Amino acid sequence: ETGVTQSPTHLIKTRGQQVTLRCSSQSGHNTVSWYQQALGQGPQFIFQYYREEENGRGNFPPRFSGLQFPNYSSELNVNALELDDSALYLCASMRGQSTDTQYFGPGTRLTVL
Amino acid sequence: QQQVKQSPQSLIVQKGGISIINCAYENTAFDYFPWYQQFPGKGPALLIAIRPDVSEKKEGRFTISFNKSAKQFSLHIMDSQPGDSATYFCAAEAGANNLFFGTGTRLTVIP
């Protein structure tokens, strides 16, 4: 098991609602990345936070936003939920910009009805 | 647009056999090529990774072969075991803040 934890494990929302997902990074890691993994697909990069600042963003609309806190934990917020937002949301933490130290959490399964 | 193309989509191998998964990319700026293993209900876990300055890297039963001129890389699992049954993802990165994943290969190793 990695030291990256995510909450909640599962979540059901309806279209148009807003959701907040949480991630605690592994000890010693100051960078957090979020990924969306649709069923049967590979993870897609949403954005990354490094030292509390956004440090890169994938091809996701502005209704996907995030935060990183001083303890390096992070939140992913999604507004105006759409059916296609149903997916497994993965958080990964790493030390600095060393991707070979990146560990993934178990994910939050979001279902939008 | 899929930045990293992965094949096959699924693979069935007998115990003790060799599993081979292939990936191809177009972006020559990619400088880090990891492979991840994912079990149901878990996040991906880094298995092995390579940088383009070497053509092969071996760790235990897992080997990455890298062909820079062809822009292809592959994962070889020797002496495949039932415990290796999982979904495998190749990925590629240019800089440390955007990892592009392939679509995954579901490996089943039959006892």
Side-chain angles (χ1 to χ4, degrees), chain B residues 3-67:
Chain B
Q3 294 264 359
V4 180
K5 295 182 180 178
Q6 183 172 347
S7 63
Q9 190 173 3
S10 62
L11 183 60
I12 299 174
V13 171
Q14 293 278 354
K15 179 183 174 181
I18 302 173
S19 304
I20 302 175
I21 305 170
N22 301 300
C23 284
Y25 65 96
E26 286 298 325
N27 187 348
T28 55
F30 288 146
D31 60 1
Y32 178 69
F33 301 88
W35 284 89
Y36 289 85
Q37 180 188 57
Q38 186 175 27
F39 292 103
K42 304 283 187 182
L46 179 64
L47 197 59
I48 186 173
I50 198 168
R51 295 200 180 267
D53 52 342
V54 296
S55 60
E56 185 174 284
K57 183 174 181 180
K58 183 176 182 179
E59 289 183 1
R61 296 185 293 110
F62 302 92
T63 300
I64 299 179
S65 296
F66 186 82
N67 186 328

Side-chain angles (χ1 to χ4, degrees), chain B residues 60-101:
Chain B
R61 296 185 293 110
F62 302 92
T63 300
I64 299 179
S65 296
F66 186 82
N67 186 328
K68 188 174 181 178
S69 61
K71 292 183 280 188
Q72 295 175 347
F73 58 111
S74 60
L75 175 70
H76 295 232
I77 305 174
M78 312 300 288
D79 187 27
S80 298
Q81 299 296 313
D84 296 331
S85 297
T87 300
Y88 292 81
F89 293 96
C90 62
E93 181 183 78
N97 61 1
N98 197 344
L99 197 57
F100 292 94
F101 282 80

Side-chain angles (χ1 to χ4, degrees), chain A residues 1 33 35 37 40-45 48 55-58 88 90 94 97-107, chain B residues 1-2 9 32 34 36 38 41-46 49 51 87 89 93 95-104 106:
Chain A
E1 295 292 326
S33 300
Y35 293 82
Q37 186 176 18
Q41 298 296 315
Q44 280 195 290
F45 176 73
Q48 180 186 89
N55 184 47
R57 187 179 184 93
L88 181 68
L90 295 162
M94 64 184 178
Q97 297 291 283
S98 302
T99 309
D100 54 356
T101 67
Q102 181 163 258
Y103 292 104
F104 282 83
Chain B
Q1 180 187 0
Q2 193 69 33
Q9 190 173 3
Y32 178 69
Y36 289 85
Q38 186 175 27
K42 304 283 187 182
L46 179 64
R51 295 200 180 267
T87 300
F89 293 96
E93 181 183 78
N97 61 1
N98 197 344
L99 197 57
F100 292 94
F101 282 80
T103 50
R106 178 175 287 186

Side-chain angles (χ1 to χ4, degrees), chain A residues 1 12-13 15 21 48 81 89 96:
Chain A
E1 295 292 326
I12 299 175
K13 291 285 189 179
R15 199 168 41 178
L21 310 182
Q48 180 186 89
L81 283 167
Y89 288 85

Side-chain angles (χ1 to χ4, degrees), chain A residues 7-8 15 28 30-31 42-43 52 63 67 70 78 85 87 99 106-107 109:
Chain A
S7 62
R15 199 168 41 178
N30 54 7
T31 301
E52 302 178 59
R63 58 188 186 86
L67 280 174
V78 187
D85 296 333
T99 309
R109 172 72 63 187

